[in-house]
Amino acid sequence: MRFKSINRKIVILLMMVLIFVFTTGGWFTTDQQGRLRAFLEDEHLYQYYPLSPLENMYHNNKNKKDSFKSILTGTPYIAFTGYVNSISSNKKQINVFDSGSGIKIDTSKEDVQKIVSTLGISSRVTVYGKIDGTEVDAEHLKVDSGVEYATQKRLYYPDNLIENCETINDLAKDNHVTFEIPSAWKSDPTTWGRLNNNNVGGYQFFLNTLDQNWDNPEIFYIFYFSYETYLDKPPVNPTSGDHEDLEELVMRNILKNLSIDSKLDIDDFKIQNGTEVDYCLKNYRPKDGRDYRLEFTFKPDNKGLVCMLYLYYPNGDTNNHIHEVSYVINSVKN
């Protein structure tokens, strides 16, 4: 069976991802923003560094305003752990050190200032902040966290440390797409599985099973849609319009057994690592009367689309792994 884009006259082969939790129901519109998009736009991932190399880099660089430039790899947000050796009288600045002279930290943010008022000299803290010239502007401050970070650079959310991860590189046949997942996602065979519909390389992760929550689905799908494999006439140097045409066809294909009465509006936005992604939010109300949310995120390249779908029941404490899903999306490289 084939689908045709009316505007672009591109023929696409059938590809299906099963959304097994639904039977019959209808789509409806909503003014609410998807939780995943809000998280991706608002929550920073901080790249962790051991403090000693940062101190050396900072103090050995004659041009102080460029002292941190060499460590900026797409984000100015960094994290490090050290000890306090000075606190300003107004609590708006501290100095944090490990083995050297330390780094100045702007702690004027109200929430951070309150934490500084509880500190003393030699207090152990983890700083999550944004590099700003010769200082780091603290956005979060964790006191005596006791966390022993690995020496390699890693990304963290302040309240949700994702320390053990594994890299997956078999979405695309040529292995040019990679992404990371928390190791816990593959620790139980009931939590994950492969997507093999029409040779689509992909994965599905039933995240609610990690919490033994059998009543409310929380599922993340990721797969690669190869233009060469699934299009009769793969586009050459595809435009953003080409990508969006194909993204809409993919979504309609995934949801083909469900009643779709409304337009699939594709938007784009930048996630915190600076990557622009295409996005579509839909809500679904099946026979059980509950409103489920589906957030589609796409990261296109010249060869195809990295397609991701986060499906969850948004009421109550039921999307417990949104920070992990956001981490995975941030980690995608293609």
Side-chain angles (χ1 to χ4, degrees), residues 298-315:
F298 298 92
K299 190 177 178 187
D301 59 40
N302 285 335
K303 296 181 179 181
L305 306 169
V306 178
C307 308
M308 293 164 280
L309 168 58
Y310 182 46
L311 180 156
Y312 58 95
Y313 175 60
N315 294 341

Side-chain angles (χ1 to χ4, degrees), residues 12 15 71-72 91 95 117 124 130 143 151 156-157 180 208 210 227 237 241 277 280 293 307:
I12 186 171
M15 180 275 303
I71 68 171
L72 298 183
K91 313 300 182 185
N95 199 74
S117 65
R124 186 174 187 267
K130 182 179 180 180
V143 181
T151 55
Y156 294 91
Y157 291 110
E180 290 188 4
N208 51 297
L210 295 171
Y227 295 156
N237 297 320
V277 295
C280 183
R293 192 157 296 165
C307 308

Side-chain angles (χ1 to χ4, degrees), residues 50-66:
L51 182 52
S52 289
L54 291 182
E55 289 178 287
N56 293 334
M57 186 183 302
Y58 178 77
H59 291 286
N60 293 334
N61 193 319
K62 294 180 181 180
N63 187 358
K64 296 297 183 184
K65 69 178 182 179
D66 294 329

Side-chain angles (χ1 to χ4, degrees), residues 203-264:
Y203 292 84
Q204 52 191 341
F205 300 96
F206 307 99
L207 305 179
N208 51 297
T209 65
L210 295 171
D211 308 312
Q212 297 187 350
N213 182 350
W214 313 114
D215 297 324
N216 300 307
E218 185 185 11
I219 310 171
F220 181 71
Y221 302 89
I222 181 169
F223 59 92
Y224 189 71
F225 181 85
S226 166
Y227 295 156
E228 182 178 352
T229 301
Y230 295 104
L231 299 181
D232 285 348
K233 296 180 180 179
V236 179
N237 297 320
T239 65
S240 59
D242 291 328
H243 292 315
E244 289 187 6
D245 283 346
L246 293 167
E247 289 160 2
E248 181 173 347
L249 288 170
V250 167
M251 286 189 288
R252 291 193 180 279
N253 204 336
I254 290 172
L255 305 170
K256 75 182 187 70
N257 289 335
L258 304 176
S259 174
I260 302 178
D261 300 320
S262 59
K263 182 181 178 182
L264 294 171

Side-chain angles (χ1 to χ4, degrees), residues 132-172:
D132 183 15
T134 61
E135 287 188 331
V136 174
D137 293 340
E139 297 192 338
H140 303 274
L141 197 64
K142 303 294 182 183
V143 181
D144 194 21
S145 65
V147 176
E148 295 297 336
Y149 291 93
T151 55
Q152 75 267 27
K153 301 171 187 176
R154 205 163 241 325
L155 301 177
Y156 294 91
Y157 291 110
D159 295 321
N160 297 283
L161 302 183
I162 303 172
E163 297 181 77
N164 299 312
C165 294
E166 61 180 88
T167 300
I168 295 178
N169 64 358
D170 61 357
L171 279 193

